Amino acid sequence: SQQGEEDPQALSIQEGENATMNCSYKTSINNLQWYRQNSGRGLVHLILIRSNEREKHSGRLRVTLDTSKKSSSLLITASRAADTASYFCATGMNRDDKIIFGKGTRLHILP
Amino acid sequence: NAGVTQTPKFRVLKTGQSMTLLCAQDMNHEYMYWYRQDPGMGLRLIHYSVGEGTTAKGEVPDGYNVSRLKKQNFLLGLESAAPSQTSVYFCASRNRVSVNQPQHFGDGTRLSIL
């Protein structure tokens, strides 16, 4: 069963604009992770935020986590053509060896 | 640095045939996972392993078997392939240090069952 649900399912923006995608989940988590998948490739880990953290930055990426609303957002600033990909959130539950992926957001950066 | 390597990259099977997908990692990771990815479904966990000689079922284990005879290898088997198993299969691994460790993925095996 899917734990995380990304929103929107697809997003097209102009190069240079900021892209925001959201993830909602259902149960308590230990951490929330964001992954990127380029067409025809495997997933690449972007950033992990722990349940006791509210915001985290990595380069042009900013992730927020609101455990009271059971939601997270991924912001990509100053988008580039190379950011065109699918983005997935994944949640890790307490003391669990597995993570559960959402269905992803397809991001398309227009030139 | 190879990371996670999956073989083969592509395969076409006929219904009822069997095959084994191989995943190899060179990062000395204890945990390994097999997922399938279908359009609009995201990634779903098939089986996973927390160490050599151990395996466990994931969300969609039916029709698949796995083995972890060596720490670096995780095999996924289809005993009698069905069209519903047409999918892209991904292997991943991670360190056991803590639950707050990312997974590292291979580039996938694209499998078609006719």
Side-chain angles (χ1 to χ4, degrees), chain A residues 64-83:
Chain A
T64 61
L65 179 64
D66 187 335
T67 53
S68 67
K69 295 182 179 179
K70 292 186 171 57
S71 68
S72 173
S73 67
L74 171 67
L75 169 67
I76 304 174
T77 60
S79 63
R80 305 167 181 170
D83 294 329

Side-chain angles (χ1 to χ4, degrees), chain B residues 32-43:
Chain B
M32 297 187 74
Y33 305 84
W34 275 108
Y35 297 91
R36 61 178 288 174
Q37 185 177 33
D38 302 296
M41 295 294 292
L43 274 75

Side-chain angles (χ1 to χ4, degrees), chain A residues 1 30-31 35 37 40 97, chain B residues 33 37 59 99-100 103 110:
Chain A
S1 58
N30 191 66
N31 65 67
Y35 289 79
Q37 184 181 34
D97 304 322
Chain B
Y33 305 84
Q37 185 177 33
E59 180 186 357
V99 296
N100 295 311
Q103 293 188 10
R110 283 145 189 83

Side-chain angles (χ1 to χ4, degrees), chain A residues 31-36 44-49 55-59 61-63 73-74 88 90, chain B residues 102:
Chain A
N31 65 67
L32 188 142
Q33 305 177 36
W34 286 92
Y35 289 79
R36 184 188 74 232
V44 174
H45 182 260
L46 295 176
I47 197 165
L48 181 151
I49 186 165
E55 187 171 313
K56 205 164 182 179
H57 297 253
S58 177
L61 305 180
R62 182 174 79 103
V63 169
S73 67
L74 171 67
F88 295 88

